[in-house]
Amino acid sequence: MSAYDYDVIIIGGGPAGLTAGLYAGRGRFKTLLVEKLITGGQVMTTEFVENYPGFPNGVAGYELSQQMREQAERFGAEIRNGEVTGLKPGNPHHTVMLENGEEVVGRAIIIASGAQPRRLGAPGEAEYMGKGVGYCATCDGALYRDETIAVIGGGDTALQDAVFLTRFAAKVHLFHRRDQFRGAKLYQEKVFANDKIEVHWNTVVQEIFGDKNVTGIKVQDVKTGTVSTLPVTGVFVFVGIQPFTGWLGRGLLDMDAFGFIRTDEDMATSIPGIFAAGDVRVKLLRQISTAVGDGAVAAFAAEKYLEEHP
Ligand code: NAP
């Protein structure tokens, strides 16, 4: 065994990974967490988190991320920057390949590489991210009380969240690129029954514009070619989400059609000793609170696995 051998290797440093690091570290396991960018994951790009328990007045995303990292490190988790490019399962050790050619070996692996909302790719989207452009209704919806906003997409998320956003917004313009929703009929009915929602069929976004923050959206009717602008203060993009599992390839672990990893309720994947936690796995609700729960369970399950496979 080389100097780089670990009991637990965690891939990804969002809330799920950092919580797994905290628990594995506290369990006195030699723990390595590998993070591609900066720890915190999607929380780092969330300006203000209002739905994480324990912070009645909310908490800045970067601050929560930093505190989660400090806590994991305090209990001994080693955090390293690096991009993981592959995973070679083995018995009793699994090998994690890094971009720089290095390989690290762990007895248990926790995949917490996360997911990200799919981007629309429209001009202005990146510029106004966090300044009117958002990807999470439960996180940011309350910021748009009595305002006029746009929702983009036609799947379950767009339909469900358009309805959710009417709790706050005075008006929700829902833009879909086709003349039929992809989302479930039940959600469609709720959208049609809600008089705060105006559906714009066959409409694509050409641009999101503003000054300091978003002030409007330019859209095109794909049937007539007509281009129009609409004043809105918020644009919610719900055009699907993508798990960060491309590095794993297909066929190694059991995944759904979208590439999310299937686990049992103890976060075990289809390969013994490899666990998955947080947004990267197939689950109902993707939030910081559920990621943290996943991370704790994954680390505890890894601990049990290590005890049973000394
Ligand atoms: P989704 O089902 O993949 O739908 C994405 C929507 O965005 C589609 O309507 C698609 O249009 C549209 N879209 C994609 N790219 C676009 C682009 N570049 N410009 C404009 N529109 C674009 O994604 P989702 O709604 O996030 O759902 C993901 C998965 O989670 C689904 O399996 C869904 O059923 C599930 N989910 C379930 C629930 C629930 O059951 N409670 C809630 C949320 C999500 P087209 O229809 O034209 O392709």
Side-chain angles (χ1 to χ4, degrees), residues 133-197:
V133 174
Y135 301 86
C136 174
T138 36
C139 315
D140 301 336
L143 302 173
Y144 297 94
R145 207 170 286 279
D146 300 326
E147 300 192 14
T148 298
I149 61 172
V151 166
I152 322 297
D156 284 339
T157 307
L159 302 185
Q160 238 184 339
D161 286 356
V163 171
F164 173 79
L165 286 164
T166 61
R167 290 190 202 177
F168 312 103
K171 172 98 186 172
V172 174
H173 291 279
L174 175 55
F175 296 99
H176 183 39
R177 62 182 176 183
R178 292 189 291 135
D179 60 0
Q180 256 183 5
F181 286 131
R182 175 181 295 276
K185 284 278 182 293
L186 181 79
Y187 301 141
Q188 295 190 26
E189 286 164 14
K190 288 188 177 170
V191 163
F192 298 140
N194 192 313
D195 57 13
K196 280 186 170 182
I197 301 176

Side-chain angles (χ1 to χ4, degrees), residues 118-121 152-161 175-178 180-184 187 203-205 238-241 256 258 260 283-284 286:
R118 195 178 291 142
R119 307 290 190 248
L120 193 57
I152 322 297
D156 284 339
T157 307
L159 302 185
Q160 238 184 339
D161 286 356
F175 296 99
H176 183 39
R177 62 182 176 183
R178 292 189 291 135
Q180 256 183 5
F181 286 131
R182 175 181 295 276
Y187 301 141
T203 307
V204 295
V205 177
F238 302 123
V239 295
I241 61 165
D256 73 3
F258 304 99
F260 291 96
K283 62 191 292 191
L284 179 64
R286 293 189 170 86

Side-chain angles (χ1 to χ4, degrees), residues 225-236:
T226 310
V227 174
S228 53
T229 60
L230 204 74
V232 293
T233 51
V235 178
F236 283 88

